[in-house]
Amino acid sequence: MDKAAGKIELRKRLVSERLALPNRLELAERLQSVMRFWLIDRPDTIIGAYWPIKGEFDPLPALYRWQEDAVLGATLAQSSEPATQATEMPPLAHQSLASRSPRKIGLPVVDKVHKTLIFHAWYPGCPMEEDAYGIPKPKDTEIVVPTLLFVPCVGYAAGGYRLGYGGGFYDRTLATLQPAPLTVGLGYTHGFLPDFEPEAHDVALDAILNDNGVVWAGPATGQDR
C-alpha cells in the first residue's frame, strides 16, 4: 500500500474509532476545561475555529465562554455588587452579549475559487446555512481575520504534526493569511500517532491540546504572537 492510500485508511480508522468512543462526552468536557485554562492568558481578540463533524471535539462552548468572560469581566469591574449578583444577566442581555464583547469567534466558509477558508463571525443563534459539503456556516455575518486558529485533528503526532481530512484547505489558508495566526490543534487522546511520519509539505502546528492537556507547545505559543 502506498503512502497516500495508507493515509486514507488511517483517516477512516481514526474517524470510526472516534465515533465509537464510549466516553466521548467525558473526554469533551475535559478538553473544554483544557481549552479554557489555556486561553486565560492569551491576548487574542479574534479566534477562528470550526463546526464539529464526524465526532470531532466541539470547541464552540469553550469559545463562547471566552467571549462571554470579556463582557462579564467588564461588568464586574464596574459593579460594586458581589460577583454572584453581578454575573446574573437578564435573558435579553445574554442574547446580545456577542455584540457587546470585544472578542469575536470566526467559523470557516469555503472560498470555492481559491479553495481556501474565509472566516465569518459566529455567535449562538446567528443565521446559518450549509456549505457545499453540508457543514453549517454563518450566513452573511462579518468577515473576521483570526490571530489564533483552532484546527480539528483526525490524528496528530510529536512535533505538532496533524493528520487532517486530506483536502488541504487549512494549509492553503495558512499560506495566505497575513499575519499568520497561531495554530492550535484539538483532538482526543486516541488520535495520537506515535509512528506518524510527516511529509515534506506538512507544516507543524504551534500547539496541540487534547483531553489530558497540552501535547505540544512550540516557541511561537508565547505572548509575542
Side-chain angles (χ1 to χ4, degrees):
M1 182 183 297
D2 63 26
K3 188 170 292 187
K7 278 191 172 182
I8 291 173
E9 290 303 313
L10 179 58
R11 290 185 185 100
K12 288 181 180 179
R13 176 176 66 80
L14 289 172
V15 170
S16 178
E17 290 176 354
R18 185 169 64 194
L19 287 167
L21 286 171
N23 60 339
R24 185 148 50 94
L25 180 59
E26 177 188 342
L27 298 177
E29 290 176 350
R30 287 164 56 180
L31 186 43
Q32 291 280 349
S33 296
V34 171
M35 264 188 76
R36 292 195 65 201
F37 277 109
W38 191 86
L39 283 168
I40 287 175
D41 294 325
R42 289 297 311 172
D44 308 272
T45 58
I46 301 177
I47 294 180
Y50 58 91
W51 189 274
I53 61 172
K54 300 179 181 179
E56 289 174 340
F57 167 72
D58 184 354
L60 297 178
L63 287 178
Y64 184 64
R65 291 293 299 272
W66 164 82
Q67 186 180 57
E68 185 180 55
D69 286 345
V71 176
L72 297 182
T75 302
L76 290 173
Q78 297 171 7
S79 175
S80 59
E81 297 178 0
T84 53
Q85 297 180 24
T87 55
E88 294 176 1
M89 297 191 298
L92 289 178
H94 186 77
Q95 292 172 11
S96 64
L97 183 148
S99 65
R100 294 184 289 118
S101 176
R103 296 174 173 176
K104 297 184 183 298
I105 303 165
L107 289 185
V109 175
V110 175
D111 181 330
K112 297 178 182 178
V113 176
H114 301 99
K115 297 189 182 300
T116 57
L117 303 174
I118 301 171
F119 291 84
H120 283 247
W122 172 88
Y123 51 89
C126 81
M128 302 287 286
E129 62 183 355
E130 289 189 352
D131 65 13
Y133 301 94
I135 302 173
K137 65 177 183 178
K139 181 180 180 181
D140 301 327
T141 59
E142 67 174 307
I143 294 176
V144 297
V145 180
T147 58
L148 169 59
L149 183 58
F150 283 110
V151 182
C153 295
V154 176
Y156 55 90
Y161 290 102
R162 163 186 177 263
L163 177 69
Y165 293 103
F169 287 103
Y170 279 100
D171 290 338
R172 287 189 293 270
T173 300
L174 292 172
T176 61
L177 286 177
Q178 293 297 328
L182 189 86
T183 55
V184 182
L186 297 173
Y188 296 125
T189 306
H190 98 285
F192 178 68
L193 302 171
D195 300 322
F196 183 78
E197 295 183 5
E199 298 183 59
H201 62 268
D202 288 332
V203 179
L205 299 169
D206 294 307
I208 297 178
L209 311 181
N210 72 9
D211 42 280
N212 281 337
V214 179
V215 182
W216 164 257
T221 53
Q223 298 303 308
D224 57 322
R225 284 285 300 275

